[in-house]
């Protein structure tokens, strides 16, 4: 009998046994999986083989509360945004302030000029009151005398110009002829035809702008009215600042928040001392410039030496730019009236005096009270001139000097306030300034010596 059927039986029995073992192993694995992951419902259990057959999916996002969006923004971006919107608010505030100032520009300039004049005249009032003169008469006498001197200076310049206008015009015409002859003989190869063409172009330009010149002349009446109004405002503001400045300053302090009042009360006298030092020093330096340049051009036989000296004095109140403009005016007058040699000598005199002023007089007279970097002076004068013309150029530098003093004091004051009480007894004088001596420091800056 063949042995093949026996072999087939043993093979079938082995396969059956192997199948049973695989089923047992599968049952154990499913049991372990059921113990670790319990399905939420029967449908999840039914779908388990299908899910096992499909690729693994990304776990779902947590259903808890989302984080704050600000935490998702980088720190640098948040700092830039915070600084940006604050800068926008400050820029908007400055823009609104400038619009308000431009709307009442005459009043603002009159008050600022009154502050400068008060800083110049206040020492005289203080000196008179110390000698027993009542404050009212001392104020009136000082203010009237000061404005009379300023008026006499203006009258003298106008009188000198009107008296010498004919002689000056003849000298200018002669100087132009001399300059024309010099150009014809110069190595620049200028021809008579070119000079006549330049003169013709000037006449045509004047004729084309005749309407504008006429309208400017008509607007001159309005300018005169505004100038007279400004002079009256300056006069009355100066009177009240000299006489009643203490109460004006105390009233202003009441408008300041109580937390910032001690700092402002201490910064006011320091700002006033800076302004007073600036005005006194500028007047003294301008007077020295006018005297020495005036003496120089007088001995050089330049016409109207005294009116030119007065112009130099007035223009010296505009730092850097005023000295250059007044010196250039003196050189031009010397050139068209006395010739090239006198003009060169006038330029030498102007430059010599200005060098002495910049390196000796200003550091010695002004000192550290109103020290401002020359670059800051140039930029400030340029910005003030662009915003408000000559008046803006005049008040720009003292405004920057006062602001520099106030900011420096407030920074030091804040450090003194934040200093711990156990570190140093320096907090006591600060508190004393705020409460005890604030009554002295809170006096009107116009009353500070």
């Amino acid at each position: 009998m063949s042995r093949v059927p026996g072999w087939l039986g043993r093979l079938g029995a082995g396969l059956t046994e192997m199948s049973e073992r695989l089923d047992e192993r599968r049952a154990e694995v499913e049991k372990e999986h059921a113990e670790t992951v319990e399905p939420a419902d029967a449908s999840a259990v039914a779908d388990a083989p299908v899910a096992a057959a499909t690729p693994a999916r990304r776990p779902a996002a947590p259903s808890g509360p989302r984080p704050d969006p600000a935490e998702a923004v980088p720190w640098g971006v948040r700092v830039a945004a915070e600084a940006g919107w604050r800068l926008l608010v400050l820029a908007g505030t400055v823009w609104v302030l400038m619009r308000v100032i431009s709307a009442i520009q005459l009043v603002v300039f009159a008050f600022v000029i009154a502050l400068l004049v008060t800083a110049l005249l206040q020492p005289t009032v203080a000196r008179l009151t110390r000698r027993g003169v009542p404050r009212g008469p001392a104020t009136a006498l000082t203010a009237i005398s000061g404005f009379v001197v300023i008026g006499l200076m203006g009258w003298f310049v106008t009188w000198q110009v009107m008296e010498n206008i004919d002689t000056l015009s003849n000298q200018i015409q002669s100087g132009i002829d001399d300059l024309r002859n010099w150009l014809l003989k110069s190595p620049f190869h200028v021809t008579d035809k070119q000079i006549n063409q330049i003169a013709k172009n000037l006449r045509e330009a004047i004729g084309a702008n005749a309407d504008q010149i006429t309208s400017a002349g008509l607007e001159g009446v309005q300018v005169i009215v505004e100038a007279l109004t400004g002079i009256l405002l300056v006069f009355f503001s100066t009177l009240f600042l000299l006489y009643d400045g203490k109460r004006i300053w105390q009233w202003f302090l009441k408008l300041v928040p109580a937390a910032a009042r001690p700092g402002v009360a201490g910064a006011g006298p320091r700002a006033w001392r800076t302004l007073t030092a600036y005005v006194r020093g500028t007047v003294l330096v301008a007077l020295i410039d006018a005297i020495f340049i005036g003496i120089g051009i007088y001995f050089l036989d330049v016409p109207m030496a005294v009116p030119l000296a007065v112009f130099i004095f007035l223009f010296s109140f505009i730092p850097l730019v005023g000295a250059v403009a007044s010196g250039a005016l003196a050189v031009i007058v010397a050139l068209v009236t006395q010739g090239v040699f006198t003009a060169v000598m006038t330029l030498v005199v102007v430059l010599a005096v200005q060098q002495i002023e910049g390196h000796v007089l200003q550091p010695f007279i002004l000192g550290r009270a109103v020290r401002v970097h020359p670059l800051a002076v140039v930029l400030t004068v340029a910005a003030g001139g662009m915003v408000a013309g000559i008046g803006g150029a005049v008040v720009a530098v003292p405004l920057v000097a006062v602001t520099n003093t106030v900011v420096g004091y407030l920074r030091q004051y804040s450090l003194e306030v934040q200093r711990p009480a156990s570190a140093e007894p320096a907090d006591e004088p600060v508190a004393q300034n705020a409460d005890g001596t604030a009554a002295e420091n809170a006096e009107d800056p116009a009353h500070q010596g």
Side-chain angles (χ1 to χ4, degrees), residues 92-399:
T93 304
V94 172
W95 183 81
V96 172
L97 183 62
M98 294 302 296
R99 296 286 294 180
V100 172
I101 291 176
S102 63
I104 55 173
Q105 185 174 0
L106 180 62
V107 177
V108 173
F109 273 126
F111 183 75
V112 172
I113 294 174
L115 281 176
L116 297 177
V117 176
T118 303
L120 180 62
L121 300 180
Q122 186 272 331
T124 305
V125 176
R127 194 174 297 112
L128 291 176
T129 53
R130 283 196 298 267
R131 293 185 178 181
V133 181
R135 189 165 190 84
T139 300
L141 180 62
T142 304
I144 293 174
S145 301
F147 281 95
V148 166
V149 171
I150 296 174
L152 288 176
M153 290 174 57
W155 170 82
F156 178 78
V157 172
T158 305
W159 173 63
Q160 285 291 311
V161 171
M162 296 302 296
E163 284 290 325
N164 297 279
I165 189 66
D166 295 333
T167 304
L168 182 62
S169 62
N170 294 332
Q171 290 178 341
I172 290 175
Q173 185 63 41
S174 177
I176 292 175
D177 294 337
D178 294 339
L179 181 61
R180 177 177 180 175
N181 294 331
W182 181 79
L183 288 174
L184 291 174
K185 298 177 182 179
S186 67
F188 299 109
H189 304 292
V190 179
T191 62
D192 194 14
K193 182 178 180 181
Q194 292 175 337
I195 295 176
N196 293 332
Q197 184 64 34
I198 293 173
K200 181 181 178 181
N201 292 337
L202 289 175
R203 286 193 298 269
E204 289 178 355
I206 294 174
N209 296 324
D211 295 337
Q212 297 181 1
I213 295 174
T214 304
S215 62
L218 294 176
E219 292 177 358
V221 178
Q222 182 180 357
V223 172
I224 292 174
V225 173
E226 291 182 355
L228 293 176
T229 305
I231 290 172
L232 290 176
L233 287 174
V234 170
F235 180 75
F236 285 108
S237 299
T238 303
L239 278 177
F240 284 109
L241 287 174
L242 287 173
Y243 179 73
D244 211 14
K246 178 179 178 180
R247 285 191 290 180
I248 294 174
W249 174 245
Q250 291 177 347
W251 172 82
F252 173 77
L253 285 178
K254 293 179 181 179
L255 301 179
V256 180
R261 194 172 299 163
V264 176
R270 290 165 176 80
W272 183 252
R273 284 196 292 269
T274 299
L275 183 62
T276 304
Y278 174 83
V279 174
R280 294 179 188 174
T282 303
V283 169
L284 186 57
V285 171
L287 187 62
I288 294 174
D289 284 352
I291 290 174
F292 283 96
I293 294 178
I295 291 174
I297 62 178
Y298 176 80
F299 283 107
L300 290 172
D301 291 331
V302 178
M304 296 193 304
V306 178
L308 286 175
V310 176
F311 274 115
I312 292 171
F313 174 78
L314 296 177
F315 274 83
S316 296
F317 284 92
I318 305 176
L320 299 181
V321 180
V324 173
S326 59
L329 178 62
V331 172
I332 291 174
V333 172
L335 176 64
V336 299
T337 57
Q338 299 296 325
V340 178
F341 177 76
T342 305
V344 172
M345 295 304 297
T346 303
L347 179 62
V348 170
V349 171
V350 170
L351 291 179
V353 174
Q354 289 181 356
Q355 288 298 315
I356 294 174
E357 169 205 336
H359 294 87
V360 178
L361 295 179
Q362 285 191 354
F364 178 74
I365 295 174
L366 295 180
R368 296 180 177 270
V370 290
R371 178 164 292 181
V372 181
H373 195 276
L375 178 60
V377 172
V378 173
L379 296 179
T380 301
V381 171
M386 293 174 62
V387 172
I390 296 178
V394 171
V395 303
V397 175
L399 179 62

